Amino acid sequence: MNRTVGAQIGGKIPPQPGPRETVRGQQMVTPEASVGVQADATDSVIPGAGPVGRPGERATLRLREDGPDEPPRYAPEWLELREPADAAARAHDLLDPLRIRLANLPGKAGLVIHDLGCGTGSMGRWLAPRLDGAQHWVLHDRDPYLLHFAAVASPRSGADGSRVTVETRRGDVARLTPDALAGASLVTASALLDVLSRAEIDTLAAACTGAGCPALLTLSVAGRVELTAPDPLDEEIMEAFNAHQRRDGMLGPDAITAACEAFSERGATVRVNPSPWRLGPGEAALTAQWLRGWVGAAVEERPALAARADRYLRERLAACEAGELRVTVHHSDLLALSRPVGGAS
């Protein structure tokens, strides 16, 4: 599936389904739904905010030829809800060295940027207006429904007013090759590394370094969470959640270290900066969904936590609703500057 969309179509993500409506067959449940962990931990979480609903599946970009009734892996409601927090968290300090590299690229035809696991296109909406020059974004995702949103809501112009265009592709990060990235100026991804295996990260690093292409990979979970006021169960839930993130070969909070090693071993210069979510009363809706997903994943990993986690979740949600809860969810952003191919500086 491949189509090109001019950035002038721009605009907001199309309206989302209302409470209790469905998205391609999967029910979305509002934050006011029951918060009980034992009975409905996954049912009360927007898909993408918590455990994957179908047994044996994991949230990767691996392409499967799904049927027409296959529900989306990540609901656009969740991606839209987290977008402002993502934008505020990303490490701006990595942009200057990236701009310097991009400014030294040979030729004047503009930038070609591949966005892996693009979701609804939030990375492009954040980054394109911060880069000069004409840009062509190649958006990759396994879900054509999300690809549609990404194309429709793409930015119209770069920092200097140059045109931005968009192309969408369904694809598999595990099959990326240097040839697939031929001509690429940059590879980006957001909240991707932690749902990959070590082999998939090696494949990604090999493709980027083989093409001489820098990579900006943001918002990888770091495995650390801080909540006010501290509760004795915080640490236990955090450990269970991290174990859940490592299921089926996924690296979870170990991904950023694996990516650093994979790129460095192939000659890239790697920088890592913190990019934490800092959630307060203004982000109550996001915090509530994140809490349900965080606790739900922990209980799915360690069912013995269920009774205590039910009490914990109810108390945390009550504090969130009262505007008394603040949460820091730690992430890391990685910039890998591969050795240019063909002698470019």
Side-chain angles (χ1 to χ4, degrees), residues 299-315:
V299 172
E300 185 176 278
E301 180 68 21
R302 297 181 186 169
L305 283 172
R308 288 181 294 147
D310 184 71
R311 182 274 308 167
Y312 174 92
L313 180 58
R314 291 178 186 277
E315 291 178 358

Side-chain angles (χ1 to χ4, degrees), residues 91-117:
H92 286 72
D93 289 349
L94 297 181
L95 292 180
D96 281 345
L98 175 61
R99 291 188 187 106
I100 291 169
R101 168 57 65 87
L102 296 178
N104 288 328
L105 291 174
K108 300 294 182 181
L111 303 176
V112 177
I113 301 171
H114 289 253
D115 187 7
L116 307 180

Side-chain angles (χ1 to χ4, degrees), residues 160-185:
D160 59 356
S162 297
R163 188 178 183 219
V164 174
T165 55
V166 176
E167 173 186 342
T168 64
R169 295 181 187 174
R170 292 187 72 189
D172 179 0
V173 69
R175 297 174 187 168
L176 272 182
T177 65
D179 288 344
L181 297 178
S185 310

